[in-house]
Amino acid sequence: MASERRSKSRAAVHAGTTPDNEAPWADLEMTVPTDRNHASVVALVECALVELTHETVGAVFISRQVGRSTRTQYVARDDVGEQFQKRHFDDRLGWHETTVPRRTVRDELITQLTRSPSTSAERSGEGATSGPDIFVVKPVRELRTP
């Protein structure tokens, strides 16, 4: 019985899903600020980068501030995960797209996900944010584009 469950589990992982038919990247989501330690955030980012390289998914970081919202999307441009398309949307400035190396994506995500609660409010010059920032991995077909 236990060996049957292990076999099903291994088959599901090999097929790209978890035993409960959920994609392996489906739980890669986090609100910012977080109580996770730095090592946990780095592990989450590394996991997300692997999924971006091997699946048709993108990483999205949404920052909400009073009177302003930004959205940054990262999508792998090659099969080895060395180049990523970075799509940045600012509701005041519109869309901007560029190609960035993996190291830049890694560093940007770690920086965004380890921000303190007051950092985004201080940057915007506002007193309070309008909601938590969010990081999520989702299918590319569900990403908003210009």
Side-chain angles (χ1 to χ4, degrees):
M1 187 75 159
S3 65
E4 183 179 320
R5 271 184 278 166
R6 280 193 299 267
S7 294
K8 285 182 180 177
S9 179
R10 271 189 243 127
V13 168
H14 185 70
T17 60
T18 59
D20 59 358
N21 293 326
E22 190 173 271
W25 48 264
D27 63 348
L28 294 177
E29 184 172 337
M30 188 169 102
T31 58
V32 180
T34 182
D35 59 356
R36 290 181 182 226
N37 64 33
H38 186 76
S40 176
V41 171
V42 170
L44 177 78
V45 168
E46 291 293 345
C47 187
L49 289 172
V50 167
E51 293 304 325
L52 293 178
T53 303
H54 298 292
E55 301 291 331
T56 311
V57 295
V60 183
F61 182 78
I62 302 167
S63 178
R64 296 182 181 105
Q65 301 157 2
V66 174
R68 184 175 188 188
S69 174
T70 62
R71 173 183 303 266
T72 305
Q73 303 173 349
Y74 302 95
V75 178
R77 295 206 34 108
D78 59 36
D79 292 341
V80 294
E82 291 302 319
Q83 294 292 313
F84 290 81
Q85 180 182 32
K86 176 182 174 181
R87 305 172 186 159
H88 182 75
F89 175 77
D90 183 311
D91 57 1
R92 295 179 183 173
L93 303 173
W95 285 95
H96 174 72
E97 294 185 25
T98 187
T99 300
V100 294
R102 177 186 186 95
R103 174 56 113 186
T104 300
V105 174
R106 182 184 185 278
D107 292 347
E108 286 181 6
L109 286 174
I110 290 170
T111 299
Q112 291 167 334
L113 299 179
T114 56
R115 284 200 314 231
S116 67
S118 61
T119 305
S120 60
E122 290 168 358
R123 267 200 339 243
S124 69
E126 305 284 341
T129 60
S130 61
D133 294 344
I134 298 171
F135 170 76
V136 65
V137 173
K138 56 173 48 175
V140 170
R141 69 182 177 280
E142 293 179 19
L143 299 179
R144 291 187 189 174
T145 56

